[in-house]
Amino acid sequence: MHSSFVRFFASTIALVAAIALVFHSSPIARAQEVLDGIAAVVNGDVITYSQMRDLVGEKEKVIRNQLKGEDLVNKIKEVRLAAINDLIDRQLILQEFKTKGYQIPDYFVDQRVTTIIREEFGGDRQAFLRTLQAQGYTLDRFKQLEKDKIIVQEMRRSAIKGAININENQIEDYYKEHAEQYSTPEQIKLRMLVIRGSGENAGPRKMIEEIREKIVSGAEFGDLAKMYSQGSEQESGGDWGWVDRKKMNEDLTKVAFGLKPGQVSKVIEIGGSYYLLFVEAKKAATFKPLKELHDEIEKTLMQTERQRLQETWIKKLRKPAYIKIY
């Protein structure tokens, strides 16, 4: 019940929580995490180990199920370091808000809490309060978390206020640089018949030449592939489905894409084995025109520019700040 709110509540806590670095996965290090303490200081504001655990607990469970040993330790370090830097940035934003003398009216927060109760609990205020209590938070604490969340969001917006202009040249350049992303390569529907060689024995070569003659005379390539091929796709009649130029090695690719639909290749010898290729159909390469992608690319570039402006602003906040990670 109310699982979406629990996820929402956890993400709200994460906005103002902080994390600590892991230096070892030894029993001593794990024992130290049991005790609370200072993980970092930002201009006098303390970030604690307990806040760290609130933030990264679920993510670390996933990592521990996926990795082991040194890879596990390094990944946890990476996750915690990235998160603590993000949360240090958030703390700097909150401090900047206070320095500027800004205010968030209490009714803003009250309205948000009312919305949460209505949308996540069907208007049941008591169920909402019971959930808070189960999470170990008071209503006042939750409101403070929500207030901090609003502040961070609005300060980030304010930092990049004003129009962000993306010109046509930027859009065209992005389109050209990412052309492969917006295209489908040329493809062929391919069948392949393979006969493995055996040293100086001329038998395999003679055998595949005879098979080719039967195909040219009208025999079905797939039927013969089922009977004679020693390749991995024998049971499906040598059917490789639709393939592009990246699917096979260079020698086979060059021959295959030079064939017309309905045409069988000459015998190809590679590494002592013999191949016949048969192209059933072809699809030409397709490209989405710029006019169809214009708005999508513009949005992408605007988002990139917003991110750049926010990072520049955060660097300005960090420059004079006292920050210490323990």
Side-chain angles (χ1 to χ4, degrees), residues 79-142:
V79 168
R80 292 185 176 185
L81 180 59
I84 198 168
N85 276 302
D86 179 59
L87 293 165
I88 285 171
D89 291 343
R90 294 180 187 279
Q91 193 61 38
L92 288 169
I93 293 171
L94 294 172
Q95 292 171 357
E96 178 72 1
F97 179 85
K98 293 178 182 178
T99 299
K100 296 291 186 181
Y102 298 147
Q103 296 291 328
I104 293 288
D106 290 340
Y107 70 84
F108 271 38
V109 180
D110 291 338
Q111 285 177 349
R112 178 167 291 192
V113 171
T114 298
T115 299
I116 292 170
I117 294 172
R118 182 180 69 252
E119 294 181 354
E120 302 292 336
F121 292 86
D124 189 339
R125 184 179 178 84
Q126 293 305 312
F128 165 72
L129 293 175
R130 286 195 297 271
T131 301
L132 286 185
Q133 185 177 18
Q135 294 288 336
Y137 280 79
T138 64
L139 178 58
D140 287 342
R141 177 58 178 154
F142 180 76

Side-chain angles (χ1 to χ4, degrees), residues 165-175 297 301 305:
N165 295 315
I166 302 297
N167 61 50
E168 293 302 314
N169 288 336
Q170 289 174 286
I171 294 173
E172 290 177 9
D173 288 345
Y174 186 93
Y175 175 74
I297 291 174
L301 291 174
E305 180 61 10

Side-chain angles (χ1 to χ4, degrees), residues 128-194:
F128 165 72
L129 293 175
R130 286 195 297 271
T131 301
L132 286 185
Q133 185 177 18
Q135 294 288 336
Y137 280 79
T138 64
L139 178 58
D140 287 342
R141 177 58 178 154
F142 180 76
K143 284 184 176 181
Q144 184 60 53
L145 294 172
E146 277 299 297
K147 185 174 183 179
D148 288 344
K149 180 179 179 180
I150 294 170
I151 290 170
V152 169
Q153 290 173 339
E154 294 305 316
M155 289 292 284
R156 284 188 178 277
R157 287 196 191 98
S158 178
I160 58 171
K161 64 182 178 182
I164 296 176
N165 295 315
I166 302 297
N167 61 50
E168 293 302 314
N169 288 336
Q170 289 174 286
I171 294 173
E172 290 177 9
D173 288 345
Y174 186 93
Y175 175 74
K176 291 175 183 177
E177 290 170 5
H178 298 81
E180 187 174 343
Q181 177 182 336
Y182 302 122
S183 66
T184 301
E186 178 186 13
Q187 293 180 308
I188 56 174
K189 194 169 189 303
L190 180 71
R191 288 186 185 270
M192 184 184 301
L193 189 154
V194 185

